[in-house]
Amino acid sequence: MASGFFAVLDDVATLLDDVATMSKVATKKTAGILGDDLAVNAEKASGFVSKREIPVLWAITKGSLLNKIIILPIAFLLSAFLPIAVTIILILGGLYLAYEGAEKIYEFIFPHYHEAPTIKEEAPSKKDILEMEKEKIKSAILTDFILSVEIVIIALGTVINEPLTTQIGVVTVVALLATVGVYGIVALIVRMDEFGLRLINLNEEDNSFSDKVGRFFVNALPIVIKSLAVIGTIALLLVSGGIFVHNVPFLHHIFPSIPSILLEFVIGLAVGFVVLLLVKGIKKIFKK
């Protein structure tokens, strides 16, 4: 009886060790999307009145957890009964990531100028502000759903040949880390300016040490968000290129002398611009 109990404990310990090891690998694979997720959510969670930033971020976080609850069982069912679907979804997700990265680069080189929004003479009412807040939260949760699908599928792709119990453990850990880690960092980022203002108002001196540190945090917020966007774009292309290199046999053996990170970036960029041209061509056809 005792030996059976210790055997179960040994199996559990082995499973946890496998989950921990594979979780590290899966987290590295999803790091690119996590970077983009961080940049997108930092942008969407900023721009609110200071006292509403944390409540809005909490609403988005709850929506993100609900997204994971919906996505995870579907992903595990596909892995158990139709594993080829995981690879197909993985490649489709890679196409989307490559397109998104290429589109950001295209918009940077050839910016699309939008018409200036009409400004109302009357200040928006509290009802209008809450309505705009709800719309922004819905948009953030929808974006999170798309990114969550990609994170879960990429994490699942790294352990697709492992037992189902290991898959469930690894992907669940990565999904929770994606939510808690990303939104925890976003909360710190969006409160940088508020923290800076508190340091500036800490004393009545004009140019004290706390004033300098406070101004640094206030001025750093937009720079951090822009930097995250750039890092996220590069990461998107690297992740998408890695998906193609590891799942398309032809690309896996092409240019063996080129460093893998450079090869993945170039393939991600090339595929992204091909998809971008196709999307723009289809849009023009439908407009006509």
Side-chain angles (χ1 to χ4, degrees):
M1 186 74 177
S3 61
F5 175 74
F6 285 115
V8 171
L9 284 181
D10 185 61
D11 291 341
V12 171
T14 303
L15 175 62
L16 291 176
D17 185 57
D18 291 342
V19 167
T21 303
M22 296 304 297
S23 294
K24 291 179 183 178
V25 177
T27 303
K28 288 179 182 179
K29 293 287 184 181
T30 58
I33 302 177
L34 292 177
D36 188 60
D37 199 4
L38 181 61
V40 169
N41 285 294
E43 184 180 356
K44 287 185 179 292
S46 58
F48 294 97
V49 179
S50 179
K51 65 180 181 180
R52 293 298 302 159
E53 284 179 340
I54 296 301
V56 166
L57 190 57
W58 176 236
I60 298 172
T61 304
K62 289 189 290 185
S64 176
L65 287 170
L66 181 61
N67 286 339
K68 305 297 192 302
I69 292 171
I70 295 170
I71 295 166
L72 285 172
I74 297 173
F76 296 140
L77 285 172
L78 288 175
S79 176
F81 299 105
L82 195 62
I84 188 64
V86 176
T87 304
I88 294 170
I89 296 172
L90 194 61
I91 293 174
L92 291 175
L95 291 172
Y96 173 78
L97 293 175
Y99 164 74
E100 191 179 359
E103 186 184 36
K104 289 181 179 180
I105 294 174
Y106 179 83
E107 285 289 333
F108 178 77
I109 300 172
F110 306 104
H112 179 67
Y113 296 100
H114 301 278
E115 293 183 5
T118 55
I119 301 173
K120 294 181 180 180
E121 293 182 2
E122 298 180 359
S125 64
K126 185 178 180 180
K127 184 180 177 181
D128 292 335
I129 292 172
L130 290 175
E131 196 63 35
M132 286 188 292
E133 186 178 288
K134 286 180 182 178
E135 289 300 320
K136 202 165 185 180
I137 290 171
K138 286 180 182 177
S139 173
I141 292 173
L142 177 60
T143 303
D144 177 89
F145 184 84
I146 296 170
L147 292 172
S148 294
V149 170
E150 295 162 0
I151 290 168
V152 167
I153 292 299
I154 289 176
L156 189 58
T158 62
V159 291
I160 194 66
N161 296 320
E162 300 294 327
L164 185 60
T165 51
T166 304
Q167 293 180 24
I168 292 172
V170 169
V171 179
T172 302
V173 167
V174 172
L176 290 175
L177 283 176
T179 302
V180 176
V182 166
Y183 289 101
I185 296 172
V186 168
L188 294 175
I189 290 173
V190 298
R191 300 300 288 177
M192 277 178 62
D193 54 348
E194 181 68 19
F195 178 67
L197 286 173
R198 289 191 179 186
L199 287 176
I200 293 170
N201 297 326
L202 193 62
N203 54 60
E204 296 180 357
E205 296 180 24
D206 290 334
N207 199 26
S208 64
F209 177 74
S210 62
D211 289 344
K212 292 177 181 178
V213 176
R215 282 194 291 269
F216 169 78
F217 279 112
V218 171
N219 296 327
L221 178 60
I223 297 172
V224 168
I225 293 177
K226 287 181 181 178
S227 300
L228 284 172
V230 173
I231 295 168
T233 301
I234 295 170
L236 282 175
L237 295 172
L238 283 172
V239 171
S240 61
I243 290 172
F244 301 133
V245 167
H246 293 103
N247 290 279
V248 180
F250 167 71
L251 296 176
H252 188 65
H253 301 290
I254 194 172
F255 304 125
S257 59
I258 297 178
S260 59
I261 189 170
L262 180 60
L263 179 64
E264 289 171 4
F265 179 80
V266 170
I267 289 176
L269 185 63
V271 173
F273 273 103
V274 169
V275 178
L276 180 65
L277 290 173
L278 287 172
V279 170
K280 287 188 173 294
I282 292 170
K283 284 182 179 180
K284 284 184 179 180
I285 290 171
F286 275 100
K287 281 182 180 179
K288 289 180 180 180

